């Protein structure tokens, strides 16, 4: 276009205006371009585009669009310019634009904006390209800061690679450094390159390449920086078998871990132009460069193995000798990595595996044995549980037939007058009771197995309770001619204890004492009470003159199923569970039991129990066993409704037991029967009986469910319900009372007791309202009270008389019914009446009993049960204390009058 473009050192690109004859710095009208102040070269390509090389990259002014395209070096983009500082540009005969920079050589790929870059790593003698020219053969000649280089472009697909030949001062150059852009190709084909010390002019075609390849040899082998010579063994390291120049095989010990190898090409004309490359096969697979000044390689700490060291070299013209030389090197392993060592390791491994296998087998055998023992123990336990469960179920079933034996025996015993026959009946009764005790003991053992034994304390005179229990063995002591004595340091002690468990503790200890004491022996029960303000500790000793126990078995006798070796004269050894149950019952009370014994001198069992004393006892109940009431005190007078006998509904699935009950009740009562709970419910709804007696254990609807259903239906909820069951536990009794049962009688039972309870409940339902209205036994005029206090005392009296037959009535029950706290209730009753609540309850019960004895035909036992006393003997004792006469005498005297 006949435009003159000038690149300056500090003024950017300037364009000459031919009209004004002035230069102006060029700026693009639409784009911000050519911002660099330094422009080193300007090149117009064959398409008319102008290329400006600056210190900030390349700006290309496109001929067709007039736009400027900018190229620069981009970080992490290998397809960008190699460097931004441009020193020269050249478009070769093939249309490739070559760019020389201070960081290497770049060439633009045809038709793209991508560049291929070359640096010293690719074979350049220096990265700064000072000048460039193309000869007639298309080869590039590059003036660098380290000599002159001929680069032959070779197409490789879409890419280009260069083959370099370097020339130095030894080849006749003016110097190693050439000047920027100081080169030209003349019309003659000659190339001129200017440098610091002049210029070189030459025809490229006149420069030939040498085909001679110098011989390559190893010149030295050093171990720990000390040269090794043949036959120079110092006793510590190896020696060469021959000169290193012959490339002998080298075998190094593991300790020879630092060695060096030197090599050289035998070329004495310009040896500095020779280049080397090497690698150690087995250690690295890439060739490493070395020049003529660095012909030594050092290796350290090589792993054991076989290696081959290879070296290649060039001639003066840079052509490589592809054959090269090699040196075989073997590094021996240390002893712990040698073949012998691995053999030893293998043997040790096999030994370790063998030992491990044996240990594992032994462990597995032990685990298997333990597992077998556990399974055997589990099977044994399951078998024991099955046996215990079986005997428990059988024991429950025993209770019904025992009831059918005990009750007729009691009735038969009252009717038989012959002394010999009565002895036989008494023998049957004693053994029946013994069988019942064994059944109960087995049930207690079952509860111990399932941890179902609970503590059910109630208050009572424990001294009197123990005395009565001991004297119940009086007939047995007479029969066996054994002297039985009882001593106590206190006459009485009101305390809280579990009556049932204390009775069983004493029964087991006394039974064992009688079992293992021969005739003419003695058994003594001694009670020692140690009082404190609130609590007492009672010590019970049961001492006998029996066969005794050896010292090593003192602890074993309390284990389950333990049986001592006995003399042949003692046949019945027992089951071995009595003392185990005894120890458990003592533990439940928080006490201890121990034994002192010598063989042949007898035994002494010592039970220590902590007890809480009772001051102003809460209720009057005692859990003493109910004695059989003499026939003279039990009368068969029935409470008869106007128009006929009272109607009783009997619900029982056992036909024999149902027949026995009906046969004994039909004289006084009309009895209707039901075999199942469902049938009993239907008859209760349709017949409206005066009282219902039902067994608990029945199929489908059991007795508890039947009672609950009756008590929740307004039509029949007033009918008293008595539950009969072989399940005598406190939980079962509580369950029965919670569903509304009026009484709960465990099997086997005395039929007169059942008859008395039936008579009491029927009579109570009939006369309760009349008795409450009259307030029998209470004289309110004797108490000086205010109107509000009168209401309170009236409420107390009404609550007591409402529950007159409830033997479980407590002060807490009364306080809840009146809506006051127990402490407030106790204080108010004491203040208004001058009596403790216990005394007030007892006074009302006894005065009520006195009226019944005077005006009714009830027996003493019936009156006792009717006014809430569980034990007729206990009732008789308190009645005598208040009226100074026994109940029977009081009744006889009143009735005669």
């Amino acid at each position: 276009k006949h435009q003159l473009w000038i690149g300056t050192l500090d003024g950017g690109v300037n364009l000459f205006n031919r009209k004004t004859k002035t230069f102006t710095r060029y700026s693009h009208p639409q784009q911000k371009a050519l911002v660099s102040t330094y422009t080193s070269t300007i090149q117009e390509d064959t398409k008319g585009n102008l290329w400006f090389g600056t210190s900030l990259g390349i700006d290309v002014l496109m001929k067709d669009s007039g736009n400027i395209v900018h190229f620069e070096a981009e970080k992490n983009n290998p397809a960008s310019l190699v460097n931004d500082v441009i020193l020269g540009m050249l478009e070769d005969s093939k249309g490739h634009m070559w760019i020389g920079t201070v960081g290497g050589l770049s060439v633009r790929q045809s038709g793209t904006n991508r560049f291929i870059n070359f640096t010293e790593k690719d074979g350049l003698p220096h990265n700064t390209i000072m000048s460039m020219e193309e000869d007639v053969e298309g080869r590039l000649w590059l003036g660098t800061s380290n000599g002159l280089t001929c680069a032959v472009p070779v197409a490789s697909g879409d890419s280009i690679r260069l083959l370099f030949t370097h020339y130095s001062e030894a080849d006749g150059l003016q110097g190693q450094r050439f000047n920027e852009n100081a080169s030209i190709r003349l019309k003659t084909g000659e190339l001129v390159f200017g440098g610091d010390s002049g210029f070189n002019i030459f025809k490229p075609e006149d420069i030939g390449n040498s085909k001679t390849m110098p011989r390559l040899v190893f010149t030295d082998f050093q171990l720990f920086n000390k040269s090794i010579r043949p036959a120079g063994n110092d006793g510590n390291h190896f020696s060469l078998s021959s000169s290193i120049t012959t490339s002998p095989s080298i075998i190094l010990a593991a300790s020879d871990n630092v060695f060096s190898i030197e090599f050289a090409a035998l070329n004495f004309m310009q040896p500095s132009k020779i280049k080397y490359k090497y690698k150690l096969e087995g250690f690295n697979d890439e060739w490493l460069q070395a020049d003529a000044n660095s012909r030594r390689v050092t290796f350290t700490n090589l792993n054991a193995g076989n290696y081959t060291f290879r070296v290649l070299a060039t001639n003066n013209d840079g052509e490589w000798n592809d054959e090269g030389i090699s040196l075989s090197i073997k590094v021996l392993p240390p002893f712990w990595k040698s073949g012998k060592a691995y053999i030893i390791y293998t043997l040790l491994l096999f030994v370790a595996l063998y030992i491990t296998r044996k240990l594992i087998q032994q462990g597995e055998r032990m685990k298997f044995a333990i597992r077998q023992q556990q399974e055997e123990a589990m099977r044994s336990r399951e078998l024991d549980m099955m046996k215990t469960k079986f005997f428990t179920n059988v024991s429950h079933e025993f209770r019904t037939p025992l009831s059918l034996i005990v009750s007729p025996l009691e009735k038969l015993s009252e009717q038989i007058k012959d002394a010999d026959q009565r002895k036989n009946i008494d023998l049957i009764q004693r053994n029946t009771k013994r069988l019942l005790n064994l059944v109960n003991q087995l049930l207690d053992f079952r509860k111990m197995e399932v941890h179902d034994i609970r503590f059910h304390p109630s208050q009572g005179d424990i001294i009197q309770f123990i005395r009565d229990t001991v004297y119940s063995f009086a007939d047995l002591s007479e029969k066996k001619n054994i002297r039985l004595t009882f001593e106590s340091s206190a006459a009485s002690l009101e305390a809280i204890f579990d009556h049932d468990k204390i009775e069983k503790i004493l029964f087991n200890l006394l039974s064992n004492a009688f079992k293992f004491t021969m005739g003419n022996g003695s058994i003594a029960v001694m009670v020692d009470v140690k009082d404190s303000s609130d609590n007492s500790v009672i010590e019970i000793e049961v001492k006998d003159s029996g066969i005794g126990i050896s010292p090593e078995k003192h602890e074993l006798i309390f284990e389950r199923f333990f049986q001592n070796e006995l003399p042949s004269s003692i046949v019945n050894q027992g089951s071995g569970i009595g003392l185990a149950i005894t120890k458990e019952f003592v533990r439940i009370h928080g006490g201890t039991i121990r034994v002192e014994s010598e063989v042949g001198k007898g035994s002494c069992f010592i039970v220590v129990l902590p007890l809480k004393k009772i001051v102003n006892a809460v209720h009057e109940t005692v859990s003493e066993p109910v004695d059989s009431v003499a026939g003279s005190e039990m009368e068969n007078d029935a409470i008869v409704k106007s128009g006929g006998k009272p109607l009783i509904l009997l619900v029982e699935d056992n036909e024999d037991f149902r027949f026995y009950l009906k046969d004994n009740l039909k004289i006084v009562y009309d009895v209707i029967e039901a075999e199942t709970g469902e049938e009993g419910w239907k008859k209760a709804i349709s017949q409206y009986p005066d009282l219902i007696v039902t067994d608990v254990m029945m199929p489908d609807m059991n007795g508890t469910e039947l009672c609950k259903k009756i008590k929740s239906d307004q039509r029949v909820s007033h009918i008293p319900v008595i539950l009969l069951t072989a399940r005598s536990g406190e939980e079962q009794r509580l369950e029965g009372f919670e569903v509304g049962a009026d009484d709960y009688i465990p099997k086997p039972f005395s039929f007169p007791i059942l008859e008395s309870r039936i008579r009491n409940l029927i009579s109570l339902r009939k006369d309760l309202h009349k008795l409450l209205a009259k307030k029998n036994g209470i004289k309110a005029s004797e108490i000086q009270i205010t109107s509000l206090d009168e209401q309170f005392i009236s409420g107390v009296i009404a609550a007591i008389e409402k529950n007159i037959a409830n033997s479980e009535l407590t002060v807490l029950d009364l306080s809840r019914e009146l809506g006051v706290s127990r402490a407030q209730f106790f204080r108010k009753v004491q203040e208004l009446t001058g009596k403790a609540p216990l005394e007030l309850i007892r006074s009302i019960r006894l005065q009520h009993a006195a009226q019944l004895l005077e005006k009714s035909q009830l027996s003493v036992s019936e009156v006792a049960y009717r006014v809430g006393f569980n034990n007729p003997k206990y009732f008789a004792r308190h009645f005598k204390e208040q009226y100074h006469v026994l109940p029977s005498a009081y009744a006889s005297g009143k009735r005669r009058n």
Side-chain angles (χ1 to χ4, degrees):
K1 290 184 178 181
H2 302 288
Q3 292 178 330
L4 181 61
W5 296 86
I6 304 296
T8 69
L9 291 175
D10 195 31
V13 175
N14 287 259
L15 180 60
F16 180 67
N17 190 329
R18 294 182 184 274
K19 293 181 180 181
T20 62
K21 304 297 182 179
T22 59
F23 291 91
T24 305
R25 181 169 179 174
Y26 177 79
S27 62
H28 195 276
Q30 285 86 27
Q31 291 179 268
K32 184 178 179 181
L34 293 171
V35 295
S36 175
T37 60
Y38 172 65
T39 303
S40 61
T41 179
I42 302 173
Q43 181 72 28
E44 184 178 13
D45 62 19
T46 55
K47 296 180 180 179
N49 303 319
L50 283 179
W51 293 64
F52 300 95
T54 73
S55 60
L56 297 177
I58 297 175
D59 290 299
V60 183
L61 179 60
M62 307 303 293
K63 177 182 178 182
D64 295 334
S65 64
N67 294 328
I68 290 180
V69 178
H70 180 73
F71 298 104
E72 64 182 15
E74 300 175 10
K75 192 176 182 179
N76 300 324
N77 183 8
S80 63
L81 280 175
V82 70
N83 194 276
D84 283 341
V85 181
I86 310 301
L87 297 180
M89 292 184 290
L90 170 69
E91 184 178 23
D92 64 10
S93 57
K94 296 180 181 179
H96 297 133
M97 183 64 75
W98 297 86
I99 297 97
T101 73
V102 297
L105 179 66
S106 295
V107 58
R108 184 189 180 199
Q109 289 180 294
S110 300
T112 68
N113 290 329
R114 298 172 60 86
F115 294 87
I116 301 172
N117 300 316
F118 303 92
T119 63
E120 291 179 1
K121 294 180 180 179
D122 301 298
L124 282 174
H126 198 278
N127 283 336
T128 303
I129 309 301
M130 307 298 292
S131 56
M132 295 183 293
E133 294 295 337
E134 182 186 21
D135 64 14
V136 294
E137 296 181 1
R139 295 179 296 180
L140 289 179
W141 291 83
L142 308 175
T144 73
S145 295
N146 189 26
L148 186 66
T149 295
C150 177
V152 180
V154 177
S156 178
D158 295 336
S159 183
I160 299 174
R161 64 186 183 90
L162 298 177
L163 301 176
F164 296 100
T165 302
H166 306 305
Y167 299 94
S168 64
E169 290 178 289
D171 297 303
L173 295 181
Q174 51 82 31
Q176 285 294 101
R177 181 177 175 79
F178 289 88
N179 292 339
E180 183 179 344
N181 277 328
S183 66
I184 191 172
R185 190 177 83 176
L186 304 178
K187 293 180 180 179
T188 61
E190 292 176 301
L191 300 181
V192 181
F193 286 87
D196 292 345
S197 303
F199 66 89
N200 289 98
I201 182 170
F202 58 91
K203 281 189 176 182
E205 59 269 20
D206 291 342
I207 299 176
N209 294 329
S210 172
K211 302 298 182 183
T212 303
M213 291 295 175
R215 180 186 172 192
L216 190 61
V217 296
F218 294 107
T219 58
D220 194 12
F221 182 85
Q222 296 180 353
L223 193 60
F224 299 106
N225 294 322
K226 182 179 179 181
S227 297
I228 303 300
R229 301 287 181 260
N233 189 1
D234 59 2
N236 296 325
H237 303 288
F238 87 105
S239 63
L240 295 172
S241 59
S242 60
S243 173
I244 191 63
T245 58
T246 62
S247 303
S249 296
I250 296 176
I251 301 176
L252 299 176
S255 58
D256 299 331
N257 53 8
V258 179
F259 62 92
S260 303
I261 304 173
E262 288 187 359
F263 45 85
L266 302 180
N267 181 9
F268 303 103
M269 295 183 63
Q270 301 181 1
S272 61
K273 297 187 67 176
I274 297 176
K275 293 186 177 182
Y276 303 88
K277 61 182 178 180
Y278 63 90
K279 68 178 178 178
L280 182 63
E281 293 179 351
F283 178 72
N284 65 294
D285 296 328
E286 295 181 358
W287 290 98
L288 302 178
Q289 297 286 341
D291 56 24
N293 297 323
S294 177
R295 297 176 290 103
R296 178 179 173 180
V297 181
T298 300
F299 298 97
T300 60
N301 296 322
L302 290 179
N303 293 328
N306 296 315
Y307 302 92
T308 301
F309 182 71
R310 298 188 182 277
V311 182
L312 299 180
T314 65
N315 59 13
N316 291 345
D317 294 323
E319 294 188 13
W320 288 97
N321 177 6
D322 294 332
E323 181 178 355
I325 57 175
S326 63
L327 181 65
S328 177
I329 302 173
K330 182 177 183 179
V331 179
L332 298 176
F335 175 77
W336 53 274
K337 282 189 177 182
S338 64
K340 293 180 180 179
Y342 281 113
I343 293 174
I344 294 174
Y345 297 154
T346 304
L347 293 175
L348 291 176
L349 178 62
F350 278 116
V351 171
L353 290 175
Y354 178 77
I355 294 174
T356 303
R357 183 173 180 272
K358 287 296 183 182
L359 291 175
I360 292 174
Q361 288 179 336
Q362 184 178 356
E364 291 299 322
R365 282 195 291 268
M366 290 179 63
K367 289 180 182 178
F368 180 72
I370 293 173
R371 192 160 53 247
Q372 276 191 321
Q373 291 177 357
Q374 291 175 343
E375 291 176 355
E376 184 65 28
M378 184 64 70
R379 286 193 295 268
S380 177
R381 180 173 177 79
E382 289 176 356
L383 183 60
D384 289 341
M385 293 294 289
M386 290 175 63
K387 290 178 180 178
T388 307
K389 188 175 181 180
F390 168 74
F391 285 117
T392 302
N393 294 336
V394 171
S395 300
H396 279 296
E397 295 300 323
F398 280 167
R399 285 178 173 267
T400 297
L402 279 173
S403 297
L404 293 173
I405 296 173
V406 171
S407 296
L409 277 175
E410 290 180 349
K411 197 168 185 178
L412 190 60
S413 176
E414 295 173 3
Q415 297 173 355
I416 293 177
K417 305 301 181 181
D418 185 86
D420 293 333
Q421 290 185 3
R422 178 177 285 277
K423 287 183 180 179
N424 290 330
I425 295 297
D426 291 341
L427 177 64
I428 296 172
Q429 281 186 309
R430 283 197 300 272
N431 284 277
T432 304
K433 290 180 179 179
R434 174 177 174 78
L435 178 60
L436 176 61
N437 181 68
L438 292 174
V439 168
N440 291 334
Q441 192 163 257
L442 185 57
L443 293 177
D444 288 334
F445 181 71
R446 167 61 179 168
K447 291 181 181 179
M448 286 175 58
E449 288 287 326
V450 297
H451 307 287
D452 196 34
I453 293 183
R454 300 182 184 179
F455 186 51
H456 297 286
S458 59
Q459 75 177 55
D461 185 349
I462 191 170
I463 302 299
Q464 183 62 38
F465 185 82
I466 296 173
R467 182 185 292 109
D468 292 343
T469 304
V470 171
Y471 286 150
S472 67
F473 284 81
D475 59 340
L476 183 59
S477 67
E478 291 180 8
K479 180 181 177 182
K480 296 191 67 173
N481 193 22
I482 295 174
R483 184 171 176 266
L484 176 64
T485 60
F486 173 78
E487 296 179 11
S488 175
S489 63
S492 64
L493 176 63
E494 288 287 338
I496 293 178
F497 59 97
D498 190 325
H499 295 69
D500 179 64
K501 293 179 178 57
I502 294 295
E503 182 183 31
K504 289 176 180 176
I505 291 171
L506 294 170
F507 183 86
N508 280 324
L509 295 179
L510 287 169
S511 295
N512 280 343
F514 276 102
K515 186 184 302 181
F516 301 118
T517 301
M518 302 296 103
N520 299 319
S522 64
I523 297 175
V525 179
M526 293 165 284
V527 179
D528 184 22
V529 179
K530 299 176 182 178
D531 274 326
S532 63
S533 58
D534 294 326
N535 299 311
S536 296
V537 175
I538 184 170
E539 184 175 283
I540 306 170
E541 294 185 13
V542 179
K543 189 173 183 180
D544 64 66
S545 60
I547 61 174
I549 306 167
S550 59
E552 65 272 9
K553 296 179 181 178
H554 284 184
E555 292 300 325
L556 298 177
I557 61 173
F558 296 106
E559 295 182 2
R560 300 176 185 180
F561 306 114
F562 174 79
Q563 293 182 331
N564 195 11
E565 295 180 1
L566 300 177
S568 57
S569 59
I570 299 179
V571 178
N572 182 17
Q573 181 170 342
S575 62
I577 64 175
L579 287 177
I581 295 175
T582 300
K583 184 176 181 180
E584 181 67 15
F585 287 171
V586 171
R587 183 195 66 78
I588 290 174
H589 273 83
T592 60
I593 183 172
R594 69 182 190 275
V595 62
E596 297 174 357
S597 179
E598 290 185 39
V599 176
K601 294 185 178 181
S603 303
C604 180
F605 286 86
I606 304 168
V607 177
V608 180
L609 300 175
L611 298 175
K612 184 173 180 61
K613 291 196 301 183
I614 298 298
V615 180
N616 294 324
V618 176
H619 61 82
E620 198 61 40
T621 325
V622 292
S623 299
E624 301 178 57
V626 179
D627 296 337
S628 298
V629 181
S632 61
E633 293 181 321
M634 292 296 292
E635 300 175 11
N636 290 327
D637 297 333
I639 307 301
V640 183
K641 297 189 299 182
S642 60
K645 302 176 183 178
L647 180 63
I648 293 179
L649 171 60
L650 182 60
V651 186
E652 170 64 63
D653 61 331
N654 186 289
E655 186 176 356
D656 292 337
F657 195 69
R658 196 168 65 249
F659 170 78
Y660 166 73
L661 291 178
K662 182 178 180 181
D663 187 59
N664 283 273
L665 292 172
K666 66 183 181 181
I667 300 173
V668 182
Y669 305 98
D670 289 330
V671 180
I672 55 175
E673 301 177 61
E675 189 173 351
T676 65
E678 286 290 345
E679 183 182 354
W681 166 247
K682 293 176 181 178
K683 289 190 176 182
I685 293 295
S686 61
Q687 304 269 349
Y688 288 99
D690 292 284
L691 184 136
I692 299 173
V693 178
T694 176
D695 189 16
V696 171
M697 304 299 291
M698 291 187 297
D700 299 329
M701 181 188 294
N702 59 40
T704 304
E705 294 170 347
L706 174 61
C707 180
K708 184 176 181 181
K709 197 168 183 178
I710 289 171
K711 293 300 182 179
S712 60
D713 192 299
Q714 293 183 357
R715 295 172 292 177
V716 291
S717 61
H718 63 283
I719 301 176
V721 178
I722 297 177
L723 296 180
L724 303 178
T725 181
R727 302 168 65 199
S728 60
E730 295 288 342
E731 295 81 5
Q732 289 77 33
R733 295 186 64 188
L734 178 61
E735 181 184 3
F737 286 125
E738 283 182 346
V739 297
D742 294 86
D743 209 342
Y744 191 101
I745 300 179
K747 298 176 182 179
F749 53 83
S750 173
F751 180 78
I753 293 178
L754 173 63
E755 188 179 21
S756 176
R757 297 305 292 154
I758 293 173
R759 205 168 28 245
N760 286 345
L761 288 172
I762 294 176
S763 177
L764 184 63
R765 287 297 185 271
K766 183 177 180 181
D767 298 337
L768 185 57
H769 179 70
K770 180 173 64 176
L771 292 174
L772 290 176
K774 292 181 180 181
K775 295 186 178 179
N776 293 313
I778 297 298
K779 299 179 180 179
S781 60
E782 297 177 0
I783 306 172
Q784 300 300 321
I785 54 178
T786 65
S787 59
L788 292 177
D789 293 335
E790 182 178 7
Q791 295 177 16
F792 177 78
I793 291 299
S794 297
V796 173
I797 295 171
I800 295 173
E801 293 182 342
K802 176 183 176 182
N803 297 279
I804 194 73
N806 181 9
S807 62
E808 303 294 329
L809 179 65
T810 67
V811 173
L812 184 60
D813 295 332
L814 293 176
S815 64
R816 285 176 177 170
E817 187 164 339
L818 293 171
V820 296
S821 68
R822 178 181 176 277
Q824 184 180 1
F825 177 84
F826 188 95
R827 202 162 44 242
K828 198 169 185 68
V829 170
Q830 183 80 25
E831 179 183 352
L832 295 177
T833 66
K835 296 181 179 181
L838 169 66
E839 296 173 335
L840 181 61
I841 295 171
R842 186 189 302 157
S843 176
I844 293 175
R845 290 187 194 275
L846 293 175
Q847 292 184 47
H848 194 174
Q851 292 188 16
L852 290 176
L853 290 171
E854 179 181 353
K855 299 178 181 181
S856 72
Q857 299 300 315
L858 300 177
S859 67
V860 172
S861 296
E862 290 173 326
V863 169
Y865 292 129
R866 193 162 182 173
V867 297
F869 285 90
N870 273 350
N871 191 328
K873 287 186 177 181
Y874 189 74
F875 162 72
R877 189 176 75 200
H878 283 289
F879 190 92
K880 185 177 181 180
E881 288 176 359
Q882 182 159 329
Y883 291 98
H884 309 291
V885 65
L886 288 174
S888 56
Y890 181 88
S892 299
K894 292 292 182 179
R895 289 168 186 169
R896 281 197 302 270
N897 295 335

